[in-house]
Amino acid sequence: MKLIILGAAAGGGFPQWNCACANCTRARAGDPHAKPRTQAALAVTANGQDYVIFNASPDLRQQILGTPALHPRTGQRDSPIAAVVLTGADVDFTAGLLNLREGQPFALYAGQRTLDRLAESAIFRVLAPTTVPQRRIEIDTATRLLDAAGHDLALTVEPFAVPGKIALYAENTDRSDLGSTEGDTLGLKITGPDGAFFYYIPACAAVPPELAARLHGAPLLLFDGTLWHDNEMIDAGLLPKTGTRMGHISVGGAGGTLEAFANAAIGQKVFVHINNSNPMILDDSPERAAATHAGWIVAHDGLELTL
């Protein structure tokens, strides 16, 4: 399998269009230690020809243009994108579907909770079901991915529920759980034709023992790196919400990702979905050094991995 990180940033990208925080200011000024990043998305192929996109970020058109492997191959209209798989219904993960509305066939896979959110929005009807069939993936059930015409893409996904929350626009603030339920936030085990596999978890609020046990022995993990500490957005004066309220585990500190995976038997560990406020996004920060020392790669756009 070949993996291409299309985008490594969290919602808003890096630099974020309306943000003048110290990190974004450095990126906007062209600081080589503050590499710009688009919003999180991943492309995977098992045969070098057909690609599956995992999460359709709002920046998907830009990401396709910047990735030659995703350019048209032959004829007047063509795309190597054979399927899209969604891990949740957040705008960060779904808005890019509107970039794929030009009558090009592909299969759309998601959990029922996400399919329900898409069905509630009339705008997604531009993806005609005759061209873009929607297929449900079930928690803890392996699904072989097929293109729109039913051709095997030689990839299998097994979704599983991870701690998180319902999409922001669907929150019910009258409820303590905001209306969240199992299936709102999914992790994926993605397996290729030779049995090689990896885990993709771009959003996660905690690492309970059962999740740590599931990931034990993985050759590769792509994991939520949104915030360095829980009060990061508040302390920076950017947003009056903690990471916990947003549904994201902190990278640093007690109970954070570095601690949770300190003794994990995982081959490669890669942070994705990194917020513009996170000092780890800067190549020369102490937080980046700490993440690197702990054995993590901080992803950037265009990073390629092979299994």
Side-chain angles (χ1 to χ4, degrees):
M1 284 185 292
K2 177 181 177 182
L3 290 67
I4 305 174
I5 303 291
L6 300 179
F14 181 59
Q16 183 171 304
W17 68 278
N18 65 339
C19 187
C21 73
N23 291 354
C24 287
T25 298
R26 287 181 61 177
R28 202 170 281 115
D31 187 325
H33 297 297
K35 298 181 181 70
R37 290 164 169 83
T38 58
Q39 295 168 89
L42 173 69
V44 180
T45 182
N47 59 20
Q49 296 294 320
D50 303 301
Y51 281 81
V52 177
I53 304 297
F54 291 88
N55 289 333
S57 91
D59 296 322
L60 186 56
R61 179 181 179 276
Q62 176 184 345
Q63 293 165 347
I64 292 170
L65 291 176
T67 307
L70 300 182
H71 293 177
R73 299 159 296 188
T74 59
Q76 295 298 308
R77 293 289 179 95
D78 175 70
S79 174
I81 297 173
V84 175
V85 181
L86 306 177
T87 65
D90 288 291
V91 171
D92 300 359
F93 298 162
T94 60
L97 291 172
L98 300 179
N99 291 309
L100 304 179
R101 66 189 185 280
E102 309 295 347
Q104 185 69 36
F106 66 92
L108 177 60
Y109 289 87
Q112 188 61 54
R113 292 280 290 176
T114 296
L115 294 177
D116 290 345
R117 299 287 81 78
L118 296 180
E120 291 169 358
S121 178
I123 195 169
F124 288 107
R125 294 176 192 166
V126 298
L127 300 172
T130 53
T131 305
V132 182
Q134 295 188 9
R135 299 170 181 160
R136 183 175 63 191
I137 52 177
E138 302 283 357
I139 291 175
D140 294 324
T141 300
T143 297
R144 191 79 166 184
L145 298 182
L146 310 175
D147 69 10
H151 300 130
D152 191 350
L153 299 174
L155 289 170
T156 298
V157 298
E158 181 180 342
F160 49 93
V162 298
K165 71 172 190 67
I166 196 169
L168 176 63
Y169 61 84
E171 288 182 355
N172 180 350
T173 55
D174 292 331
R175 291 179 49 171
S176 60
D177 64 359
L178 304 173
S180 303
T181 192
E182 183 179 77
D184 284 324
T185 306
L186 296 177
L188 297 175
K189 180 182 181 181
I190 302 165
T191 305
D194 59 356
F197 69 94
F198 69 98
Y199 289 97
Y200 182 55
I201 309 175
C204 189
V207 182
E210 60 270 21
L211 177 57
R214 182 189 290 268
L215 302 178
H216 180 78
L220 172 64
L221 169 65
L222 278 60
F223 193 80
D224 184 348
T226 306
L227 301 178
W228 186 263
H229 66 88
D230 199 46
N231 288 329
E232 182 173 301
M233 301 289 282
I234 298 172
D235 292 349
L238 299 175
L239 192 70
K241 288 184 180 179
T242 63
T244 301
R245 171 62 177 80
M246 296 163 62
H248 297 287
I249 187 175
S250 298
V251 172
T257 306
L258 298 187
E259 180 179 277
F261 290 106
N263 299 311
I266 296 173
Q268 281 188 296
K269 298 173 291 187
V270 181
F271 281 122
V272 294
H273 199 272
I274 307 149
N275 202 58
N276 62 81
S277 61
N278 190 337
M280 180 180 73
I281 206 167
L282 302 173
D283 294 347
D284 58 354
S285 68
E287 291 81 3
R288 169 66 69 84
T292 300
H293 180 73
W296 287 83
I297 296 169
V298 177
H300 57 80
D301 291 18
L303 175 66
E304 296 190 9
L305 302 163
T306 303
L307 278 176

